[in-house]
């Protein structure tokens, strides 16, 4: 079977990604919660790029095996699981050290005590227990969702752009599309909304572009390591940044709101 050309596959993938993600974007925007429906909106949107990649392969005659899901060396899986935790600890350890943030966030601890149904548990029991749950069962559940995104971005799009544009430009182009794909729920829902948009958006774009280059380099030979890094990063950022960290507003001229509200 003859495989369609570069532009056909690229624009078909982008169009199908928007089409398959749009219903979940709409639900997240309408409800004001991008992870609403007990996480169903987030999982649905994350699988948009993956479904788009599979449909594009089917329509254009590209082999699904080209998406490249093969297992690499296990030691890299272990390192990719631990690396995001180390990065988060170093980054936010500096935030705490200079007085910009506090740990833990009282509002989140109260909410988690109710969610976990541990009414008499102490603060650190709640924080540590939640971390263990996220690092184990939460991580496994997250892999199922992250697999959708990475099938699309790193499995299909990045190799396509890499072949046409070269490694660096291909990785950055993938990162730009990956970042822009998040904009509807960033600007119109509550995704990454713990800080003002003018602060969170450039930080988010820089983070995504940096990750795109790193993950493209690793994913060219070991996509499962990329998936592990991505899912571990999400889990650790949820613990360290988005939930149990609180900005000390008096210490910061940015007057940023509490990071534990979303």
């Amino acid at each position: 079977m003859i495989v369609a050309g570069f532009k056909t596959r690229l624009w078909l993938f982008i169009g199908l990604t928007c089409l398959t993600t749009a219903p979940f974007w709409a639900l997240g925007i309408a409800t004001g919660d991008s992870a609403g429906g007990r996480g169903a909106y987030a999982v649905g949107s994350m699988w948009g790029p993956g479904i788009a990649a599979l449909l594009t392969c089917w329509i254009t005659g590209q082999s699904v095996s080209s998406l490249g899901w093969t297992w690499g060396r296990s030691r890299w899986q272990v390192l990719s699981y631990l690396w995001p935790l180390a990065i988060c600890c170093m980054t936010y350890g500096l935030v705490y050290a200079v007085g910009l943030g506090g740990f833990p966030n009282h509002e989140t601890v109260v909410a988690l005590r109710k969610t976990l149904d541990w009414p008499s548990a102490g603060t650190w029991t709640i924080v540590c227990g939640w971390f263990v749950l996220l690092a184990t069962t939460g991580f496994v559940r997250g892999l199922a969702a992250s697999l959708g995104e990475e099938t699309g971005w790193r499995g299909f799009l990045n190799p396509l752009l890499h072949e046409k544009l070269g490694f660096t430009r291909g990785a950055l182009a993938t990162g730009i599309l990956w970042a822009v794909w998040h904009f509807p729920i960033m600007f119109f829902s509550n995704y990454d909304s713990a800080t003002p948009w003018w602060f969170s958006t450039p930080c988010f774009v820089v983070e995504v572009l940096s990750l795109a280059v790193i993950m493209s380099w690793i994913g060219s030979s070991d996509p499962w390591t990329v998936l592990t890094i991505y899912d571990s990063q999400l889990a650790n950022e949820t613990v360290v940044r988005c939930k149990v960290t609180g900005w000390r507003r008096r210490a910061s001229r940015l007057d940023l709101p509490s990071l534990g509200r979303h």
Side-chain angles (χ1 to χ4, degrees):
M1 182 180 293
I2 299 175
V3 178
F6 167 78
K7 289 185 178 180
T8 299
R9 286 181 289 160
L10 175 62
W11 288 110
L12 182 60
F13 170 75
I14 292 174
L16 288 172
T17 296
C18 293
L19 184 65
T20 53
T21 307
F24 302 100
W25 280 341
L27 287 169
I29 292 170
T31 61
D33 186 1
S34 60
R38 295 190 175 183
Y41 302 167
V43 174
S45 63
M46 290 173 76
W47 262 97
I51 294 173
L54 294 173
L55 288 174
T56 302
C57 287
W58 177 62
I59 294 171
T60 63
Q62 180 174 330
S63 173
V64 174
S65 63
S66 66
L67 300 179
W69 287 104
T70 56
W71 187 265
R73 294 184 179 181
S74 295
R75 66 175 180 175
W76 293 114
Q77 315 303 332
V78 175
L79 288 174
S80 63
Y81 178 82
L82 297 175
W83 175 62
L85 174 60
I87 296 298
C88 281
C89 288
M90 287 189 292
T91 303
Y92 293 100
L94 179 62
V95 170
Y96 308 146
V98 299
L100 289 176
F103 186 90
N105 185 303
H106 176 70
E107 295 177 9
T108 297
V109 171
V110 171
L112 286 174
R113 185 175 284 112
K114 182 178 180 180
T115 299
L116 296 172
D117 197 19
W118 297 353
S120 60
T123 296
W124 286 104
T125 300
I126 294 291
V127 172
C128 294
W130 190 53
F131 176 80
V132 170
L133 288 172
L134 274 180
T136 52
T137 58
F139 177 78
V140 174
R141 185 175 63 178
L143 282 176
S146 302
L147 180 61
E149 271 202 67
E150 290 310 303
T151 297
W153 304 131
R154 246 62 59 182
F156 179 86
L157 181 62
N158 189 70
L160 180 67
L161 294 175
H162 185 183
E163 181 180 350
K164 186 71 174 180
L165 304 176
F167 172 78
T168 302
R169 290 195 297 168
L172 290 174
T174 300
I176 290 171
L177 290 172
W178 186 22
V180 171
W181 176 76
H182 287 85
F183 283 179
I185 53 174
M186 286 183 66
F187 295 151
F188 303 108
S189 189
N190 66 342
Y191 183 84
D192 204 25
S193 61
T195 54
W197 68 268
W198 52 264
F199 181 83
S200 63
T201 301
C203 290
F204 177 80
V205 171
V206 170
E207 177 187 24
V208 167
L209 290 179
S210 302
L211 276 173
V213 174
I214 295 171
M215 294 166 77
S216 296
W217 175 63
I218 298 173
S220 61
S221 59
D222 193 351
W224 280 103
T225 295
V226 168
L227 182 61
T228 305
I229 288 176
Y230 179 56
D231 194 40
S232 180
Q233 180 212 11
L234 290 179
N236 283 294
E237 283 195 345
T238 298
V239 173
V240 181
R241 182 183 73 180
C242 298
K243 293 295 184 182
V244 293
T245 301
W247 283 92
R248 291 176 180 163
R249 301 181 67 174
R250 293 181 181 178
S252 173
R253 294 183 180 180
L254 294 176
D255 195 31
L256 300 176
S258 169
L259 287 178
R261 294 181 182 174
H262 298 286

